[in-house]
Amino acid sequence: MAFPDTTGLRAEPGSFRDPGNRVFHRGGEVLRGLDERSARDWCALAASDFFRDLLATGQVCGTEELFPTPVDVPWAAVLRHERIPFVSHPYEWSYGMLRDAALLHLEVLRAALAAGFTTKDGSAYNVQWRGARPVFIDVGSFEAARDGEPWAGYRQFCQTLLYPLLIQAHLGLDFQPFLRARVDGIEPDQMRRLFGGARRWRTGVLTHVHLHGAVQDRTAGDSTSTVRAQLRAAGYSRELALATVRGLTKLVRRLDHRPGDSHWSDYQRTCAYSVPDRQAKEHFVDRAVAATGPGRVLDLGANDGRYARIAARHADHVVAVEQDPAVVDALYRALRDEGEGRVLPLVMDLADPSPGGGWRGVERAAFADRARADVVLALAVVHHLAIGRNVPLPEVLDHLAALTVAGGSLVVEFVHPEDPMARRLLANKPDGLFPDYRREAFESLLAARGRVVGRTELPSGTRTLYQVVVGG
């Protein structure tokens, strides 16, 4: 296969920590440049049966080497990967998603060790999603395993995968704020403070928190080569490494925490929609997405995924965003069990979306920089932002329009002030705080941001749906 034109290459900001390989983008292509050592590792990997099996089952992202490698690039070899539909971050996942990502990471590592390979790291960021199916993307992480050397990714695995699972399973705390706060995850000393006293005896804590932390403290001044020599002298082997992976897999499977019910868990039953309202809304959404054609749909405030599923009939993929982690977890498990490959559910507060993070604030891209879509569904969202969170109505619509590609469709619902849900929100606010929250003002703001091509009033008479071609 011929190598593409090398002009217009853009380095991936989150791919700099391994000096042996780097990910680049060129148009719609995802490329990986390899140095001499990484190229040798790739040649061995590509010839292995276990890697071909992982590719065939979709557990590892599609990868091929490009030939010939041009002389004017600074790499010994260049790979091309399949393009993942939407790049998400672990603090945007539900508990079940993080757990399944951990299990995939361990399964990939187990298969690699059995074939004489290992992975250099164990970060949650090595996993992405095809809809509700996890996929391992860090092909540059594979290298030959050496007896007497522990898994180099164990600390990362603990900090970005295992520790967050332990926090939510044992303490009932949502893990997302912990991962969002630090791109490298949760440090062992922080975990030891959370799991002191009797909590140290909870499943997995003593071994992977307290003993792990003690070993780190004891070897803090030793070089990596010294630690490896000590392990070889102690008889550490590949068989012991495999036993460790099996133990971690068993532990993660036992940590199958199910979040309890929340205010939003039963929203579709308790909200103000009548059956005719719901049918009219479903028809409007189906028609609007079908008219726009294939591409990305962003469903904001997706709840149980009813409208995300409708959008998936016509879209290439749907990103379904919901604030409540318990609701997202229930949706994820349902989509996973259905084998859905087009709908990706994510946890996010729309009034506090994921910012840029990591090195220089760009190593992990902000949600707004990743999420522009051909269709944006904002159903039963505007009143929660404008009234519930006091975001000025023009700014709400500015944000929704900015998430919609030029010429794309914004499908938005306006909940009238006399609607029961709006009245409930307004009852908790001082009188006269939202004088501009009325239908006429809303329609004027919409017209300033695009061309209204569809409108329907739901049978209840207190909600109106609009389809707006943004920039049209």
Side-chain angles (χ1 to χ4, degrees):
M1 180 173 296
F3 186 82
D5 181 6
T6 57
T7 60
L9 291 178
R10 177 176 58 85
E12 167 57 49
S15 174
F16 65 87
R17 298 199 178 206
D18 182 352
N21 65 95
R22 187 77 187 267
V23 173
F24 290 80
H25 300 272
R26 179 186 178 276
E29 293 181 309
V30 180
L31 308 175
R32 184 186 298 270
L34 307 176
D35 68 6
E36 292 285 351
R37 177 174 176 177
S38 295
R40 290 194 298 271
D41 288 334
W42 159 252
C43 287
L45 181 69
S48 67
D49 291 335
F50 96 93
F51 185 70
R52 285 193 289 267
D53 289 344
L54 291 176
L55 288 173
T57 58
Q59 293 170 288
V60 171
C61 68
T63 303
E64 60 184 351
E65 186 173 355
L66 299 181
F67 296 104
T69 303
V71 297
D72 59 338
V73 299
W75 309 309
V78 176
L79 310 181
R80 175 157 57 199
H81 299 302
E82 70 169 287
R83 191 170 190 85
I84 299 300
F86 185 83
V87 174
S88 60
H89 303 325
Y91 43 84
E92 298 166 349
W93 304 345
S94 74
Y95 184 90
M97 294 174 74
L98 191 75
R99 178 176 174 269
D100 285 350
L103 290 172
L104 174 64
H105 215 306
L106 292 169
E107 172 57 24
V108 168
L109 176 60
R110 184 206 60 76
L113 287 170
F117 292 82
T118 187
T119 54
K120 300 175 188 177
D121 48 37
S123 172
Y125 293 93
N126 288 349
V127 176
Q128 285 298 325
W129 300 85
R130 301 187 193 99
R133 295 177 295 198
V135 54
F136 188 87
I137 63 168
D138 192 8
V139 173
S141 179
F142 290 102
E143 64 179 357
R146 293 177 286 275
D147 274 341
E149 294 191 8
W151 178 33
Y154 173 69
R155 179 186 175 105
Q156 281 186 324
F157 181 86
C158 287
Q159 292 185 185
T160 63
L161 288 161
L162 180 59
Y163 290 170
L165 294 173
L166 290 173
I167 283 175
Q168 187 150 352
H170 292 324
L171 303 182
L173 300 174
D174 290 331
F175 69 84
Q176 291 86 0
F178 290 89
L179 287 183
R180 176 167 158 171
R182 284 180 53 86
V183 71
D184 292 327
I186 307 166
E187 295 285 345
D189 61 343
Q190 185 179 14
M191 287 291 290
R192 289 200 295 270
R193 290 193 293 270
L194 289 170
F195 286 92
R199 288 177 175 172
R200 72 175 58 229
W201 305 110
R202 298 192 180 183
T203 304
V205 172
L206 185 63
T207 299
H208 299 288
V209 175
H210 289 280
L211 292 181
H212 178 203
V215 169
Q216 283 192 328
D217 292 344
R218 189 170 64 249
T219 61
D222 295 339
S223 67
T224 301
S225 58
T226 299
V227 173
R228 289 172 176 170
Q230 291 172 349
L231 286 168
R232 281 194 294 268
Y236 190 86
S237 64
R238 190 187 312 168
E239 288 70 26
L240 287 175
L242 279 166
T244 299
V245 173
R246 288 193 292 269
L248 282 168
T249 302
K250 183 178 180 181
L251 169 60
V252 172
R253 291 192 184 281
R254 290 180 64 187
L255 297 173
D256 190 14
H257 170 74
R258 299 262 180 165
D261 290 338
S262 68
H263 170 71
W264 299 104
S265 298
D266 206 21
Y267 178 74
Q268 289 292 347
R269 186 181 65 82
T270 60
C271 68
Y273 292 112
S274 64
V275 171
D277 277 359
R278 183 172 287 114
Q279 290 175 340
K281 188 172 177 177
E282 290 176 356
H283 178 69
F284 189 88
V285 169
D286 184 77
R287 187 176 55 195
V289 178
T292 306
R296 174 184 295 167
V297 173
L298 184 60
D299 184 5
L300 303 177
N303 197 256
D304 66 357
R306 176 186 298 269
Y307 302 101
R309 286 184 170 91
I310 291 173
R313 299 171 186 169
H314 312 287
D316 293 327
H317 64 277
V318 181
V319 181
V321 177
E322 169 59 44
Q323 177 179 347
D324 192 311
V327 173
V328 176
D329 202 55
L331 175 58
Y332 165 70
R333 292 171 188 265
L335 294 170
R336 179 193 63 189
D337 294 346
E338 295 165 13
E340 177 57 68
R342 289 167 298 170
V343 180
L344 170 65
L346 295 179
V347 178
M348 194 173 309
D349 180 356
L350 295 176
D352 183 22
S354 300
W359 173 243
R360 300 177 65 188
V362 297
E363 184 180 355
R364 305 302 171 198
F367 179 71
D369 294 331
R370 292 174 277 135
R372 298 192 73 212
D374 301 282
V375 178
V376 173
L377 303 180
L379 307 171
V381 163
V382 169
H383 61 300
H384 287 294
L385 294 173
I387 301 174
R389 304 298 286 273
N390 287 35
V391 181
L393 194 56
E395 293 194 24
V396 172
L397 291 179
D398 281 343
H399 181 58
L400 297 178
L403 292 174
T404 312
V405 300
S409 289
L410 168 60
V411 180
V412 60
E413 180 176 7
F414 183 71
V415 177
H416 303 185
E418 60 270 22
D419 182 89
M421 180 61 73
R423 289 205 308 266
R424 189 183 311 170
L425 292 172
L426 288 166
N428 296 319
K429 303 291 183 177
D431 291 340
L433 186 61
F434 303 101
D436 295 328
Y437 187 83
R438 61 187 193 280
R439 179 173 174 174
E440 296 78 13
F442 183 78
E443 290 185 346
S444 176
L445 291 168
L446 280 183
R449 289 157 179 80
R451 178 168 49 92
V452 177
V453 296
R455 172 170 41 205
T456 188
E457 187 168 313
L458 298 185
S460 64
T462 63
R463 299 185 177 214
T464 306
L465 297 173
Y466 303 86
Q467 180 184 359
V468 182
V469 175
V470 173

